[in-house]
Amino acid sequence: MTGKPFPSVWLREPRKATSPGRSREEIVRAALELLDEEGLAGLSMRKLGAKLRAGATSLYWYVANKDELLELVYDEIWGEMTVPDHEEVGWRDAAAALAYSMRQVIVRHPWAAEFVGRLPALGPNALWVANELRKMFKAAGFTGLDTDYAIATLTAYVYGMTIPEIAWNKSTGGHVYDADEMRAAVAKAAAPFPEMLESVDMATYDDPKAVREIAFDFGLVSVLDGLERRLAT
Amino acid sequence: MTGKPFPSVWLREPRKATSPGRSREEIVRAALELLDEEGLAGLSMRKLGAKLRAGATSLYWYVANKDELLELVYDEIWGEMTVPDHEEVGWRDAAAALAYSMRQVIVRHPWAAEFVGRLPALGPNALWVANELRKMFKAAGFTGLDTDYAIATLTAYVYGMTIPEIAWNKSTGGHVYDADEMRAAVAKAAAPFPEMLESVDMATYDDPKAVREIAFDFGLVSVLDGLERRLAT
DNA sequence: ACCTGAACACCGTTCAAGT
DNA sequence: ACCTGAACACCGTTCAAGT
């Protein structure tokens, strides 16, 4: 009963509802900007302080530490999701649209890809999205724990497809590489594995962005098909 | 033709095949130990140097920088995968077993969960696993780019299911919380979302580990069913 | 060929002191 | 109630100097 308290920003009261000068919201907004511009490694309390024309240590009045600030910013991005009305378009299209939106949010905030493995999404916006998914899958016919499993499966797919894609983007540094050059590099790396070479010859490196879209679709259809099959039995 | 070189450890030659005193392998092994014990944030070049009874800066002779070292260690863990023979057990069981093994590897090295979003897995061990998956899916009947898409779908599922699980483990700090306490916390957080409360009443928090195993199975079966359906048409 | 220590430009966070 | 600067214990990395 009186165990350790579960540690998360979301279970503590904010220091104040509002305040005249700086505020939690202002800090979170500035942090989000800095993260989008410079990435997770580019955010420091000192830089953030400077951006707000304040001493780095002033922020500690509004936020317990950097991790807590990141939790707040992380939840912020899930507020950007566009969630379709499943009663209009049907559960399957709604779930697919939500998956696309989720992918978009992560692509728009690449630092989030690194953050998924660090702290769980427990903020109000994340809960809102989870709840919308729940409504969709319940409408689809899932009951009991199966609803949770179905939600986890879909979101897992989106995370797992998007996170390594972001990692790839980072390693190429946003720079678009020449298709032939890329092919040559992959051919060299894949040399010990003859089965892999065939895919190198293919169109993959001419329009990587298009291929990724198709890949995402392929997997999404597969996952939704698979989930639908759970309903039939 | 003469564009920027694609930047990755794997495309450069190591400084030397072997060396008498310290070696790349020794450094990578020590780094892996440190990462497993203290996590990604717990690894510093200084600590690693101390562990090897060397100055922190000595390591820079074997490794260009910390990121490159991490790339090397990251590949190391994919060498721990147990890959079944698909000709013996059939492609579907083989793919499932590989998925379990992948999950195990990440659970065993939680720092990897954070790393997936940072740099792509391009090392020899990662390529080996990818190639094994390729053989399985080709045996299943996939052809052309569909083979790549199927591989991406399965691995995405495993990553996406495992990475947030690790994040959750981190936030609870390895400490196992009382089921009732947990229920109360979730109930509070989920208060604005009536649809979510039902799952709080369920058995989820009594044996979270078991529930996660079942969830993983549920999703894995769904994904494999969905992929199998791509073959039928 | 390999290793070292000093040095530089950074970090997150605490805390006494100010207004 | 809010903000500050100094201070502490850290970082990754460079580089001239040693053996």
Side-chain angles (χ1 to χ4, degrees):
Chain A
M1 186 129 281
T2 50
K4 257 193 202 154
F6 184 71
S8 182
V9 220
W10 310 112
L11 301 175
R12 298 196 287 101
E13 303 298 327
R15 189 73 89 139
K16 192 106 166 278
T18 50
S19 65
R22 268 178 276 276
S23 67
R24 229 187 207 204
E25 291 85 55
E26 199 193 353
I27 291 170
V28 169
R29 199 169 14 176
L32 180 53
E33 268 180 45
L34 209 47
L35 283 167
D36 287 346
E37 285 163 15
E38 316 210 16
L40 199 51
L43 173 74
S44 77
M45 298 303 268
R46 282 171 159 90
K47 273 196 217 162
L48 184 56
K51 195 182 168 86
L52 291 163
R53 261 175 275 296
T57 58
S58 313
L59 309 173
Y60 285 86
W61 207 86
Y62 297 93
V63 131
N65 50 44
K66 193 184 177 184
D67 263 15
E68 180 169 306
L69 173 60
L70 286 171
E71 272 195 274
L72 292 167
V73 185
Y74 183 44
D75 188 60
E76 204 64 17
I77 67 176
W78 298 117
E80 296 176 11
M81 294 273 296
T82 46
V83 177
D85 184 355
H86 69 274
E87 293 186 351
E88 253 178 58
V89 299
W91 79 272
R92 202 181 149 129
D93 280 3
L98 193 139
Y100 280 114
S101 184
M102 215 178 140
R103 182 175 131 88
Q104 254 184 49
V105 164
I106 301 173
V107 168
R108 200 152 48 215
H109 307 290
W111 54 272
E114 268 177 75
F115 201 74
V116 178
R118 249 165 80 166
L119 286 174
L122 298 174
N125 285 324
L127 291 183
W128 163 67
V129 174
N131 196 50
E132 294 298 315
L133 266 168
R134 180 170 296 275
K135 285 195 241 169
M136 290 173 197
F137 281 112
K138 285 190 69 106
F142 287 101
T143 56
L145 281 176
D146 278 11
T147 319
D148 297 81
Y149 301 154
I151 294 171
T153 303
L154 182 66
T155 56
Y157 171 70
V158 179
Y159 276 133
M161 205 69 174
T162 312
I163 290 172
E165 183 185 329
I166 303 288
W168 178 262
N169 291 346
K170 276 176 193 157
S171 86
T172 59
H175 182 269
V176 182
Y177 288 88
D178 181 69
D180 289 325
E181 194 188 346
M182 205 71 225
R183 238 183 293 267
V186 174
K188 187 186 165 192
F193 308 109
E195 286 91 347
M196 279 182 83
L197 284 169
E198 59 178 62
S199 91
V200 178
D201 295 326
M202 302 199 142
T204 323
Y205 303 100
D206 290 318
D207 192 350
K209 218 178 145 195
V211 172
R212 284 198 291 227
E213 299 289 341
I214 298 171
F216 188 80
D217 270 347
F218 181 100
L220 183 56
V221 169
S222 302
V223 168
L224 291 174
D225 277 354
L227 290 177
E228 216 160 9
R229 196 150 185 287
R230 297 280 84 66
L231 288 169
T233 53
Chain B
M1 184 126 285
T2 51
K4 256 192 203 155
F6 184 71
S8 182
V9 221
W10 310 112
L11 301 174
R12 298 196 287 100
E13 303 298 327
R15 190 73 88 139
K16 193 102 168 281
T18 51
S19 65
R22 268 178 276 276
S23 67
R24 228 186 207 204
E25 291 85 55
E26 199 193 353
I27 291 170
V28 169
R29 199 170 14 178
L32 179 54
E33 267 180 46
L34 209 46
L35 283 167
D36 287 346
E37 285 163 16
E38 315 211 16
L40 198 51
L43 173 73
S44 78
M45 298 303 267
R46 282 172 159 90
K47 273 195 216 163
L48 183 56
K51 195 183 167 88
L52 291 163
R53 261 174 277 295
T57 58
S58 312
L59 309 173
Y60 284 87
W61 206 84
Y62 297 93
V63 131
N65 50 44
K66 193 184 177 185
D67 263 15
E68 180 169 307
L69 173 60
L70 285 172
E71 272 195 274
L72 292 167
V73 186
Y74 182 44
D75 188 60
E76 204 64 16
I77 67 175
W78 298 117
E80 295 176 11
M81 294 273 295
T82 46
V83 177
D85 184 355
H86 69 274
E87 292 184 352
E88 253 179 57
V89 299
W91 79 271
R92 200 179 151 131
D93 279 4
L98 192 141
Y100 280 113
S101 184
M102 214 177 140
R103 181 176 132 88
Q104 254 185 49
V105 165
I106 301 173
V107 169
R108 201 153 48 216
H109 307 290
W111 54 271
E114 267 176 75
F115 201 74
V116 178
R118 248 164 81 167
L119 287 174
L122 298 174
N125 286 323
L127 291 182
W128 163 66
V129 174
N131 196 49
E132 293 299 315
L133 266 168
R134 180 171 295 275
K135 285 195 242 167
M136 290 174 196
F137 280 113
K138 285 190 71 106
F142 287 101
T143 56
L145 281 176
D146 278 12
T147 319
D148 297 80
Y149 300 153
I151 294 171
T153 303
L154 182 65
T155 57
Y157 171 70
V158 179
Y159 276 133
M161 205 70 173
T162 313
I163 290 173
E165 183 184 331
I166 303 287
W168 179 261
N169 291 345
K170 277 177 192 155
S171 85
T172 59
H175 183 270
V176 183
Y177 288 87
D178 182 69
D180 290 325
E181 193 188 345
M182 205 72 226
R183 237 184 293 267
V186 174
K188 187 186 165 193
F193 308 108
E195 286 90 348
M196 279 181 83
L197 285 168
E198 60 179 59
S199 91
V200 179
D201 295 326
M202 302 199 142
T204 324
Y205 304 100
D206 289 319
D207 191 351
K209 219 178 144 195
V211 172
R212 284 198 290 227
E213 299 289 341
I214 299 170
F216 188 79
D217 271 347
F218 180 100
L220 184 56
V221 169
S222 302
V223 168
L224 291 174
D225 278 354
L227 289 177
E228 216 161 9
R229 196 152 186 287
R230 298 280 84 66
L231 289 169
T233 52

